[in-house]
Amino acid sequence: MNRSIILAAGQGKRMKTDLPKVMCEVLGIPMLRWVITACEQSGLDDICVVTGFEHEQIESYLSGKYPTVFQSQRLGTGHAVMQAEDFLKKDPDGNVLILCGDAPFIDKETITEALKLHTDENNSVTVITAVLENPAGYGRIIRSENGIAGNVEQKDCTAEQLKIREVNSGAYWFKVRDLLEVLFEIKPDNAQAEYYLPDCIGLLIEKGKRADAFISENNSVVLGANDRKGLLALNDIARKTVIEKHLENGVEFICTDGIIIEPSVEIECGAAVLPGTILKGSTKISKGAVIGPNSLISDTFVGENTVLNSVQAYQSKIGSGCKIGPFVHIRPSSEILDGVHLGNFVEIKNSVVGKGSSVSHLTYVGDSDVGKNVNFGCGVVTVNYDGTKKSRTVIKDNAFIGCNTNLVAPVTIGEAAYTAAGSTITKNVPDGALAIERSTQVNRENYAKRKLGRHIKKGENIK
Ligand code: UD1
Ligand code: CA
């Protein structure tokens, strides 16, 4: 069987973070998760992760789904693999893919094509490599007549070897039995006094085994990040790659400034994404929708032809043909049905807003079940929290909530009922009724005229 080991002991001191380096995020996803996803997509789900710095964080992130082994001292990539000896010995007949947890762009095609070369050529080790314009910093691959002779780290290279542009990505396929035969023979006799995993290549060749390299078409498989600048560069690459995929699928972008789309997001052909839009998690955007400018949509479904302009939405479902924004906040567990209009400074939380309803301005709808074709005036508040518990507000179909109404939950507004502007409603309103809760207006004739008339005559300002 084929399995994988992911090396993830690095601290990433230069990232200046308390996180293990592999937990630093590219497009909102830890680098380690990118690598695991590439394994899973390649059909490898027997994975062992070698941890070191802040290992508890990685263990809790993996929540037992994948085993980890702890490398107490960071003595090199070869030493890291030695920690996984028991994992390797469990199935010595198969192949093992060794990956760096901080090189997130390893991909399924590279993994599976490299495995094909590995098995077709009956190699003991197949190094995944790339040919770079600027190979600085990477291990250089020494080619032989029949495959490769080895890898030389940058710090151990001669001037001539530094010119080699084929580099080691840090990813390898090994025959497990052969790897175990040489792994513990590696010596830290090099410029960095580390146990170098690629030293296994020379040791295997000495034993008459075959080693070769698979050149990936995807140069970015070698890329990792050592500092924040490097991480930003990875984010830029990932961001562009994701946007290009959506462009190919027929999503419209007129300008990609400030657009960040996590790889898990689905967007249908014919939707448009405008500048300043961030789409996260399990968000799905349907055809004809226009998202942005300046919107953050997370784990939310957006129906066909819906417009979200300057909207923040989280863990919610928004129907088709809705017109939402600007400046609308849709908080978790909300369901906005088809044809709803939500206008400026409206907040919806844990509520259903029925078909065709309209909440146009300055309104809070929380813990509410709103029917269809309900109209909210300006400044309505569902008073859902009494300081100890939350209660629900029910508003039935075709109701009309007057401006500046407080609906003190639990309370029900009946079908096609009205509330008068400025009312604080604490009792249920029957179907078809008008509820007024405010004192009767008294007009004192000529009061103001008497008081202010003098000033008005003189043309003075009234203070
Ligand atoms: C390694 C390769 C180099 C290759 C480069 C690609 C060696 C000796 N060199 O170099 O040829 O071009 O990757 O990025 O392998 N790690 C551990 N424990 C350790 C040391 C490293 O878990 O003791 C992990 C790191 O967290 C990282 C990965 O192994 O995920 C690679 O380690 P790193 O120190 O970055 O290797 P490089 O020196 O870059
Ligand atoms: Ca590295």
Side-chain angles (χ1 to χ4, degrees):
M1 209 183 55
N2 296 327
R3 309 155 84 205
S4 180
I5 295 174
I6 301 176
L7 308 185
Q11 173 172 4
K13 248 190 215 144
R14 281 185 283 158
M15 291 282 184
K16 301 194 172 149
T17 167
D18 295 334
L19 292 175
K21 185 174 168 189
V22 296
M23 292 304 290
C24 290
E25 291 180 345
V26 173
L27 285 193
I29 297 166
M31 291 195 278
L32 177 61
R33 170 60 61 189
W34 284 77
V35 178
I36 290 175
T37 301
C39 285
E40 288 172 344
Q41 287 174 345
S42 314
L44 297 162
D45 52 14
D46 194 358
I47 301 171
C48 174
V49 179
V50 182
T51 63
F53 180 75
E54 292 290 339
H55 59 103
E56 299 88 351
Q57 288 191 37
I58 297 179
E59 286 151 15
S60 91
Y61 178 73
L62 295 174
S63 57
K65 181 155 186 223
Y66 293 113
T68 60
V69 290
F70 177 57
Q71 185 191 22
S72 58
Q73 266 182 300
R74 207 168 169 282
L75 300 179
T77 48
H79 183 260
V81 175
M82 291 175 198
Q83 312 311 306
E85 183 182 4
D86 291 346
F87 174 82
L88 288 169
K89 282 186 171 160
K90 253 188 269 165
D91 184 15
D93 296 323
N95 296 295
V96 63
L97 173 70
I98 295 177
L99 297 171
C100 295
D102 61 353
F105 298 146
I106 186 75
D107 62 275
K108 177 186 158 194
E109 286 68 34
T110 301
I111 290 173
T112 50
E113 285 167 24
L115 176 61
K116 185 164 187 307
L117 181 85
H118 182 71
T119 48
D120 285 355
E121 291 188 341
N122 196 23
N123 295 333
S124 276
V125 54
T126 304
V127 185
I128 294 173
T129 65
V131 178
L132 301 184
E133 282 300 315
N134 175 13
Y138 293 98
R140 306 301 205 281
I141 298 300
I142 313 295
R143 286 270 167 185
S144 66
E145 272 174 26
N146 179 28
I148 62 170
N151 164 81
V152 186
E153 288 303 290
Q154 160 104 8
K155 286 185 179 146
D156 304 304
C157 275
T158 63
E160 212 43 44
Q161 288 168 334
L162 284 175
K163 291 182 192 153
I164 297 170
R165 287 173 45 224
E166 184 179 2
V167 303
N168 175 9
S169 70
Y172 319 76
W173 276 109
F174 278 96
K175 277 187 189 163
V176 174
R177 192 178 297 285
D178 293 349
L179 172 62
L180 282 168
E181 220 178 286
V182 296
L183 183 61
F184 294 90
E185 290 177 19
I186 304 172
K187 300 275 172 323
D189 48 4
N190 49 57
Q192 303 185 90
E194 280 185 6
Y195 294 87
Y196 288 168
L197 179 65
D199 283 358
C200 288
I201 302 166
L203 293 169
L204 286 167
I205 292 169
E206 275 171 29
K207 292 191 191 299
K209 312 273 183 183
R210 195 184 143 74
D212 203 352
F214 173 82
I215 304 176
S216 174
E217 275 175 31
N218 173 11
N219 272 355
S220 59
V221 295
V222 304
L223 296 178
N226 294 317
D227 52 21
R228 293 281 169 186
K229 212 170 139 188
L231 196 61
L232 175 62
L234 295 187
N235 271 287
D236 275 343
I237 291 170
R239 195 177 82 83
K240 287 188 184 126
T241 308
V242 170
I243 290 175
E244 265 159 32
K245 180 193 84 183
H246 291 298
L247 281 166
E248 275 164 26
N249 291 344
V251 177
E252 186 182 333
F253 297 86
I254 47 171
C255 165
T256 62
D257 287 357
I259 295 180
I260 300 171
I261 304 173
E262 291 185 1
S264 48
V265 170
E266 286 176 54
I267 312 180
E268 282 185 359
C269 167
V273 181
L274 300 177
T277 293
I278 301 176
L279 303 176
K280 295 169 74 76
S282 60
T283 291
K284 186 177 172 203
I285 310 292
S286 305
K287 65 182 177 202
V290 179
I291 314 298
N294 305 320
S295 294
L296 194 166
I297 313 298
S298 183
D299 302 316
T300 290
F301 174 89
V302 179
E304 290 178 12
N305 302 314
T306 282
V307 175
L308 304 183
N309 168 12
S310 298
V311 171
Q312 300 237 342
Y314 303 86
Q315 293 153 48
S316 289
K317 190 165 179 280
I318 303 172
S320 303
C322 295
K323 204 166 168 289
I324 301 184
F327 318 121
V328 169
H329 187 185
I330 299 171
R331 293 170 54 199
S333 306
S334 295
E335 193 175 347
I336 313 297
L337 299 187
D338 297 350
V340 164
H341 171 237
L342 306 177
N344 42 219
F345 309 109
V346 166
E347 174 179 340
I348 311 284
K349 187 214 84 175
N350 185 28
S351 294
V352 178
V353 181
K355 274 190 186 172
S357 288
S358 179
V359 191
S360 292
H361 354 249
L362 299 159
T363 290
Y364 172 60
V365 179
D367 302 310
S368 300
D369 301 296
V370 178
K372 55 178 191 248
N373 298 322
V374 171
N375 186 79
F376 285 72
C378 181
V380 173
V381 175
T382 55
V383 183
N384 59 328
Y385 184 50
D386 65 5
T388 51
K389 65 176 194 306
K390 305 254 167 83
S391 303
R392 290 197 79 83
T393 299
V394 177
I395 303 173
K396 296 196 172 164
D397 297 349
N398 300 308
F400 183 102
I401 311 300
C403 289
N404 235 345
T405 298
N406 295 314
L407 301 170
V408 182
V411 71
T412 297
I413 310 299
E415 208 175 310
Y418 262 52
T419 68
S423 297
T424 292
I425 305 295
T426 54
K427 294 183 203 134
N428 293 345
V429 180
D431 292 352
L434 164 67
I436 309 181
E437 191 283 331
R438 61 187 187 212
S439 40
T440 311
Q441 180 170 332
V442 176
N443 290 339
R444 298 197 195 287
E445 294 291 335
N446 290 320
Y447 175 92
K449 196 175 165 189
R450 261 198 319 276
K451 190 156 181 166
L452 305 176
R454 258 185 309 125
H455 302 283
I456 293 169
K457 225 182 254 166
K458 288 190 201 158
E460 285 173 0
N461 285 337
I462 299 160
K463 294 222 172 86

